[in-house]
């Protein structure tokens, strides 16, 4: 039996079995690490955004990126990613000829990562990542990509419908727009994406409004 150093808890010594206190301390340390990661890396930029409008960082899988770009194939004009995270979707859009390609992101750490990825790919200065709140920018012309939590989709739908031109296409990932009928969809589960042509969405919304007045 090795008592170890004075003041050293038995669960912290190499080879020691974790008891109840050890498990509790380990859980507390893990929780503190998760909170620290959120506070330092993910929280910046969210402080002034209401909870229901926050779009947390959820990196797209390679399949989801491929599905999104497949639904934008053949499109022309600017491609904008609302909440671009580490920039993977914007970077791939530029590679496939969707130009200019632009990403809006509030988190400064993710912006640094996105710019680093663009630089490493040889596209520095050709792709733009801007530190802006997607709720405070005017939606640009062209095609758009929107991801994030389901509760953010209804107010985002209102914003996009008010600002985008008729020839724009919106591709949503993870969650569809609940009040819009998609023009097409691709993939399954978390990789599923939905495409919406704004001209058709406007026609649908106006039709519902006219029916409600009858």
């Amino acid at each position: 039996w090795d008592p170890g150093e004075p003041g050293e808890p038995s669960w912290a010594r190499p080879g020691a079995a974790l008891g109840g206190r050890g498990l509790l301390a380990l859980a507390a340390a893990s929780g503190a690490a998760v909170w620290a990661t959120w506070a330092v890396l993910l929280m910046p930029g969210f402080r002034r955004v209401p909870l229901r409008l926050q779009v947390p960082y959820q990196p797209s899988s390679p399949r989801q990126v491929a599905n999104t770009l497949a639904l934008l194939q053949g499109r022309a004009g600017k491609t904008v990613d609302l909440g671009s995270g580490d920039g993977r979707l914007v970077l791939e859009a530029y590679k496939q000829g969707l130009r200019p390609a632009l990403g809006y992101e509030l988190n400064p750490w993710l912006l640094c990562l996105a710019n680093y990825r663009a630089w490493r790919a040889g596209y520095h200065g050709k792709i733009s990542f801007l530190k802006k709140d997607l709720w405070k920018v005017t939606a640009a012309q062209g095609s758009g990509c929107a991801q994030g939590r389901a509760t953010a989709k209804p107010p985002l739908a209102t914003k996009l419908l008010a600002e985008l031109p008729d020839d724009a296409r919106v591709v949503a990932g993870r969650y569809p727009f609940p009040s819009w009928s998609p023009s097409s969809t691709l993939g399954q589960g978390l990789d599923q994406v939905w495409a919406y042509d704004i001209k058709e969405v406007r026609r649908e919304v106006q039709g519902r409004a006219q029916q409600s007045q009858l």
Side-chain angles (χ1 to χ4, degrees):
W1 177 69
D2 179 10
E5 295 295 329
E8 181 185 21
S10 60
W11 58 267
R13 293 195 297 273
L18 284 176
R21 287 186 183 178
L23 290 174
L24 182 60
L26 183 60
S30 300
V34 170
W35 179 88
T37 300
W38 164 255
V40 175
L41 299 181
L42 302 180
M43 186 186 296
F46 278 164
R47 295 185 179 91
R48 296 185 180 88
V49 181
L51 179 62
R52 74 186 186 93
L53 299 184
Q54 290 180 7
V55 182
Y57 176 50
Q58 296 175 316
S60 302
S61 68
R63 175 52 54 189
Q64 189 183 46
V65 171
N67 289 342
T68 298
L69 296 178
L71 293 185
L72 292 175
Q73 192 171 13
R75 305 284 302 179
K78 181 180 292 185
T79 300
V80 181
D81 189 4
L82 303 176
S84 52
D86 61 10
R88 65 184 65 190
L89 199 152
V90 177
L91 180 60
E92 194 61 33
Y94 185 87
K95 287 180 181 179
Q96 296 193 20
L98 294 170
R99 305 172 183 178
L102 169 68
Y104 290 127
E105 176 59 52
L106 270 179
N107 189 299
W109 301 97
L110 293 176
L111 279 172
C112 289
L113 180 56
N115 281 303
Y116 169 73
R117 290 166 65 96
W119 170 81
R120 189 176 62 177
Y123 299 139
H124 178 68
K126 300 177 181 179
I127 300 176
S128 299
F129 295 105
L130 303 179
K131 187 177 184 294
K132 290 188 176 181
D133 184 350
L134 66 89
W135 301 104
K136 297 179 180 179
V137 297
T138 300
Q141 293 187 359
S143 303
C145 311
Q147 302 194 51
R149 64 172 71 216
T151 54
K153 286 293 168 64
L156 183 58
T158 301
K159 174 181 174 62
L160 294 177
L161 199 58
E163 298 176 358
L164 286 174
D166 277 348
D167 61 351
R169 166 170 282 195
V170 175
V171 179
R174 297 194 182 275
Y175 304 100
F177 287 95
S179 61
W180 292 2
S181 298
S183 304
S184 56
T185 184
L186 188 61
Q188 296 180 344
L190 293 178
D191 294 329
Q192 187 172 5
V193 295
W194 297 262
Y196 304 89
D197 293 317
I198 292 299
K199 183 176 182 179
E200 298 302 321
V201 172
R202 281 203 176 98
R203 185 177 301 168
E204 177 186 11
V205 171
Q206 290 170 358
R208 287 201 301 261
Q210 292 175 354
Q211 289 180 358
S212 65
Q213 293 175 357
L214 296 179

